Structure formats: structure tokens, C-alpha cells
Amino acid sequence: MSDYKIILYLCNWAPHTAYHNLQDNGYQIPPEIKMVRVSCTGRITKALLLKAFEMGADGVALVGCGPGTCRYGTGTLNAVNNTEDTERILELAGIGGRRLRFATFLPDDTEPLRRFLAEFTADIKTMGKSPVVPMGKVPAETTEDPTSLADILKKHDAYACQDCGKCTSACPLALSGKPYSPRALVGAIAAAPPLSEAVIRDVWACLTCGLCHERCPSDVDFPEFIRDVRSWIHARQGDENQAHGGFFQSLMRTMTSPEISPGRWKDRPADLIADPEGKTLFFGGCAPYFDIFFRNHAGLDTSRTLFDAVRLLNFFDVHPRLLETERCCGHDLLWSGDRQNFLKLARLNTEMMNDLGIETLITACPECYRTLSLDYPRHGVKPAFTVMHLYEFLEREIDKGAVTFAPLEHRITYQDACRLNRLSGVGALPRKLIHRLMPTRFTEMKDSGAASICCGNCAWTGCDAYSKAFQVRRIRQAAATGSDLMVTSCPKCQIHLRCAMEDPFLGRELMMETADLTSVIARTIRWE
């Protein structure tokens, strides 16, 4: 019996008739193919395509109706776009884009369908087994997860909550109108298990932005508390509150497979200079995957930040090592409760970089910075290298006084990244760099610095209409400063705020140019 597994998502209309005719004529469907009958291939999202690989598929075929014959109008176009995007991500992640295929057939296309099934099966066998280790095939690892909610409450001293409500009065989610209260959530968890459905829903709605912790007179670290509660729930009943169908959680879990061979930097511009033997590593993060997944957002190009970061390092004669085999740091797995797979990624990344003798790791991503420098050691994974944010490096070099900046013909304001600002304590550094630039004007938003509000999502969980409402609020705050450029420091701020700007009902009211601080510095910095 073949040990290959090929998932065939088959449209219920034209191709299913052809498939049925094949069987009626005595054709034996290759045993590797497991057919899943679907109402329309346009309903098979990128998340479902990737999930099949996460669960152990060696190949996936999406077979639907031709353009102009789809019963749902745009089903074929959706299927084409979803397949193309997922193919590119599979290729980038080192799984293999050719393992995914899209084809269309009419009811009479019996022979073409037979040839397709035979040829695709042969192609997959030629490629060999998928490098992804199926979830559920690996024994559970022991983690330091607390065994009870009482342990988590005690660990974070949540019993010290004074029930004053200052957290709720500051929570941006509560202020957006959502019936949500950090104070009430702590109280409900402390009351006694089992947790109600409302409590579980709210645990994943929390933005973990840390503003409540900032205001708490008892110093209850609410983000860390929520993260541990999520881990406790995830280990017992999973998580159904993931945005985008759980695509990014699936992608991160596939990266825990040791045999995949990502090509993270293969599309980098030719002008970037890297040292393949260097001891200083630039860690890029997941921006290339975001750009493919969200390619329909106007002007989204978060990879540009990575390329500009390397250009800035080159500007100061640093030629960093770039690892094609770089994997996600695991931030979103940790903060969405999947601590077991976070630890797998942390160990893979750390062992790989330690073996290469990396001495200094520089990153421009707030989440990678926080995760690599703080969360890895806190979870028992000890990097043998120093972690530095790019802003620290730039401030040190610029402070030497050999550079200046071209005038920036923009009135700018700044959107803080929570992981860099409140959760890593590096909020002052980007402002110091901004003041070194020569903008027409720099104006802080109403809520800024220690009081800043986030971009509306945490680790791809809990995104809903309320998240959108306060993203709109944030953009309006930026516009109220009279600025024409919003500078950010996190790729996810770009994604979420640009998403809100595409609100079809508010139209151009929300449109505002955005750019990452790294890119702004890269395009204006000059030698004196």
C-alpha cells in the first residue's frame, strides 16, 4: 500500500461529473488520492490548502470548473488566486510550490482528468515525501506549563487585583465599544473553572498590548497572564479564534519540521551585500510571507523594510550574514497559546545559529526582537549570541556624528509597536531617531508613548469589527495631527492599519501614507 497522500479537493459540479464518469468506466483512481468533494473550489481558502500539508499531505490538487462556467461566478478566480499565493508561500517555506496544483475540467473531460490525476501522482512521487512532519505524529514534549489556572493566577499575582477598573478604563478594546473588561476577565478566571464560553472568547480577544499593565496599581502583568491562560486552554481544547482561518499558525507549525529548506532571502535585491561566513546575522522575520498573503492590500511591501535594514547595515560597512534557512521566531505561536510548537522553533533557530558561531543577531522586527532576546531565555532556550534591535545599532552609529539626513518633505506622526514600546521598553529609541531626521514637522498622536494604542490584533487572534473600529480611531488620531505620513516600526502595524484604510464605507477619509521608520532612515541618510 502506498504511503503517499494526495488530497484532491473536487468541485461538486463539472469536474465531479467527469470524475464520476471515470469510475463508471472502470478507471481505478490512484490509491494515493483521497478525494474531498467541495461545493466550489473558490471556497477552499489558503488556510485550508496549507492545513492539508500541515496534516501530512504530500500533494494537494484543487480541481474546479473553468472560467465562465463556475456556478458561483468568481469561484474559479478565487481558486486561482488562492492557489498561486499558497504555491509561492510553500516554495518560500521550503516545502515545494509544485506540490500544489490547480486544474479545471468540463463534464465531458474524462480523459483529460484521468491524465491529470496520473501525471500529478507521478510528479509527487518524483518529488518524494513532503518534508513536513505531520502534526500529531510527534510525541508531546514536556513544557513548564502550569498545571492549573490557580497556578497561573498565583504566578502573576492576579489575586492582587484591587478591582479598581483602571485597566478597563484604559483598554482600547473596551473603549471601542466591545463588551470586554480586563478586570472582569481576571475575576471570572479567578472565580473557578470550568471557564465559560464568554471567558474563553475574551481570552483570545485581548490584544496583550500592555496598556492595562501600565495602569494597574497592583502591577498585575496582564499580557503575561493572558498568554499563560491561552496556553493552558490551548493544551486542553485547542483554539478556534484564529484570524485568516489559522493560516499563519499552520505556517509556523510547518516550520517546526527539521527537514524543510526555506529560501527566505532568495528574492533579495542584488545591491545588498552579505557575508556568508559572518558572525553578525540579520534576522528578517516573516515579512516575505505577509507580502504574498496580503498582496491585494494597496501598496503593501513589508519586505522593503528588511532590504532597507540590510542597506543601512551596509551603509555602515556591516555585511551581515543572511540565513536562507531562517524560520519564524515563534512569537505568534507563543502568544496564541501553542507553547509546545513555539519551543520547537526556538530550539531549531537557536541551535542553528549557535552552530554557525553567530555572535550578534540584529533584527528590525519588534516581535522577533522581543521573542529572541526575552522570551527564548525565559522559556529555557539560551542563545549564545547577543540580540540587538536595528534602532540600537543605528543610534550608536549615527551618534558618532559622521552622517546627516536629507530633508524629509513630510509632516510625520508615529505609531508605536507594542512589542517594542511597552513590552520591551524601547519606546524612546525610535523617537530619538525620528528627531535626528529632518521632517517638515513631527507631531505625536493623542495617545502616544506609554499611552499609545496598538494596531488592533495580537498574534492573528480575535480580529473582529471592534478591532476594526479602534484601528479607524487610530487612523483618525493620526490624521488629526495634520500629518501626511504615518511612520511605523512593525510590519503588522502596516498590515492592520492599511486593512482599515480600505473600509469601503469610509473611503478616502482614512487614506494616509504610511512607511516604516527603517525605510525612512534608509532613503534620507547621507554621509556628511
Side-chain angles (χ1 to χ4, degrees):
M1 184 175 177
S2 172
D3 62 349
Y4 280 85
K5 183 186 292 182
I6 297 172
I7 302 299
L8 171 66
Y9 289 115
L10 188 70
C11 172
N12 193 43
W13 296 95
H16 184 264
T17 302
Y19 188 87
H20 193 62
N21 289 339
L22 267 180
Q23 293 178 308
D24 284 350
N25 292 331
Y27 176 68
Q28 294 297 313
I29 304 295
E32 297 82 2
I33 293 178
K34 316 299 178 190
M35 191 268 279
V36 179
R37 190 172 166 178
V38 298
S39 60
C40 176
T41 51
R43 307 289 179 90
I44 302 300
T45 63
K46 287 176 264 192
L48 287 172
L49 293 173
L50 184 61
K51 190 74 176 178
F53 288 99
E54 182 193 349
M55 300 306 291
D58 300 297
V60 175
L62 192 59
V63 174
C65 303
T69 63
C70 174
R71 296 292 195 280
Y72 295 96
T74 61
T76 304
L77 179 61
N78 292 339
V80 169
N81 289 335
N82 288 338
T83 304
E84 287 179 354
D85 291 350
T86 310
E87 279 177 349
R88 292 179 61 197
I89 288 174
L90 289 171
E91 192 64 32
L92 189 63
I95 299 168
R98 290 177 55 242
R99 293 183 181 276
L100 177 60
R101 202 74 53 86
F102 176 70
T104 61
F105 298 96
L106 296 173
D108 293 335
D109 288 341
T110 305
E111 179 56 23
L113 177 59
R114 184 196 66 77
R115 287 200 302 273
F116 171 80
L117 296 177
E119 290 170 6
F120 185 56
T121 302
D123 285 349
I124 292 298
K125 288 184 173 180
T126 301
M127 283 183 266
K129 294 286 292 177
S130 166
V132 177
V133 178
M135 289 297 110
K137 296 288 186 183
V138 180
E141 296 183 35
T142 301
T143 73
E144 71 278 24
D145 280 350
T147 55
S148 71
L149 289 171
D151 290 339
I152 298 172
L153 287 157
K154 189 183 302 180
K155 173 183 174 183
H156 298 287
D157 200 19
Y159 291 119
C161 172
Q162 300 176 28
D163 210 23
C164 66
K166 288 183 178 177
C167 54
T168 304
S169 66
C171 173
L173 204 53
L175 294 177
S176 72
K178 188 179 180 74
Y180 173 86
S181 163
R183 177 191 60 79
L185 187 54
V186 170
I189 294 172
L195 301 177
S196 69
E197 290 185 9
V199 168
I200 294 173
R201 178 196 63 214
D202 285 351
V203 163
W204 264 280
C206 174
L207 300 170
T208 66
C209 68
L211 194 50
C212 50
H213 182 208
E214 186 77 24
R215 304 293 173 84
C216 179
S218 300
D219 196 28
V220 176
D221 193 339
F222 202 77
E224 302 269 348
F225 170 73
I226 286 293
R227 195 179 67 188
D228 279 352
V229 174
R230 285 177 179 178
S231 180
W232 189 87
I233 296 174
H234 186 280
R236 287 154 181 81
Q237 61 186 64
D239 167 25
E240 298 177 353
N241 296 274
Q242 299 166 352
H244 306 293
F247 180 90
F248 292 105
Q249 279 82 0
S250 283
L251 179 61
M252 288 179 282
R253 284 193 288 267
T254 63
M255 291 187 196
T256 64
S257 300
E259 299 303 320
I260 66 169
S261 301
R264 186 70 67 100
W265 290 96
K266 64 182 179 181
D267 295 328
R268 72 176 189 264
D271 65 308
L272 304 185
I273 305 173
D275 178 358
E277 302 298 326
K279 300 301 181 187
T280 297
L281 173 75
F282 180 74
F283 192 88
C286 290
Y289 299 105
F290 299 157
D291 286 347
I292 298 171
F293 190 89
F294 296 107
R295 66 181 167 118
N296 292 328
H297 285 303
L300 184 67
D301 184 9
T302 56
S303 292
R304 179 177 176 175
T305 305
L306 312 188
F307 303 149
D308 284 337
V310 177
R311 287 192 181 94
L312 283 167
L313 292 172
N314 289 172
F315 180 87
F316 289 107
D317 293 327
V318 174
H319 303 154
R321 191 168 190 157
L322 303 175
L323 277 185
E324 292 289 356
T325 53
E326 178 190 312
R327 300 161 193 261
C328 172
C329 69
H331 171 277
D332 294 338
L333 287 178
L334 177 64
W335 289 86
S336 60
D338 190 349
R339 184 168 297 176
Q340 182 175 334
N341 283 301
F342 159 75
L343 285 170
K344 290 179 187 175
L345 276 178
R347 289 168 186 148
L348 279 169
N349 277 325
T350 303
E351 288 171 7
M352 178 174 60
M353 290 182 270
N354 287 349
D355 289 346
L356 293 173
I358 300 300
E359 297 171 355
T360 303
L361 180 149
I362 301 176
T363 181
C365 172
E367 294 183 344
C368 293
Y369 174 70
R370 151 88 196 196
T371 305
L372 290 157
S373 63
L374 294 179
D375 292 321
Y376 277 19
R378 286 180 180 178
H379 288 82
V381 181
K382 308 290 187 186
F385 45 85
T386 302
V387 180
M388 174 185 286
H389 193 280
L390 179 71
Y391 296 165
E392 298 176 68
F393 170 84
L394 292 177
E395 175 58 25
R396 186 187 69 193
E397 296 300 315
I398 293 170
D399 195 50
K400 293 176 182 174
V403 300
T404 187
F405 296 90
L408 182 61
E409 303 296 334
H410 282 289
R411 303 181 303 277
I412 67 175
T413 189
Y414 176 65
Q415 164 67 19
D416 275 291
C418 298
R419 295 299 185 260
L420 196 62
N421 183 18
R422 277 188 294 272
L423 273 65
S424 295
V426 192
L429 194 49
R431 288 174 170 76
K432 200 169 182 178
L433 288 167
I434 288 173
H435 283 293
R436 291 185 179 276
L437 301 174
M438 299 175 63
T440 302
R441 192 181 70 200
F442 170 53
T443 309
E444 292 274 16
M445 285 186 252
K446 180 183 176 184
D447 298 311
S448 61
S452 65
I453 58 178
C454 84
C455 67
N457 193 263
C458 165
W460 309 115
T461 64
C463 183
D464 60 15
Y466 294 102
S467 296
K468 200 65 64 188
F470 89 79
Q471 287 165 359
V472 169
R473 173 186 166 202
R474 191 57 167 162
I475 297 168
R476 284 175 169 158
Q477 284 187 343
T481 64
S483 302
D484 57 12
L485 175 64
M486 178 162 41
V487 176
T488 64
S489 55
C490 177
K492 288 182 182 171
C493 291
Q494 289 272 344
I495 293 167
H496 295 138
L497 294 175
R498 281 176 184 269
C499 177
M501 288 179 192
E502 294 174 358
D503 187 311
F505 299 104
L506 296 174
R508 296 189 60 81
E509 176 194 340
L510 299 178
M511 294 306 295
M512 186 173 191
E513 187 176 350
T514 63
D516 193 277
L517 178 57
T518 297
S519 294
V520 175
I521 295 172
R523 76 175 190 242
T524 57
I525 196 166
R526 302 283 187 273
W527 288 113
E528 277 187 348

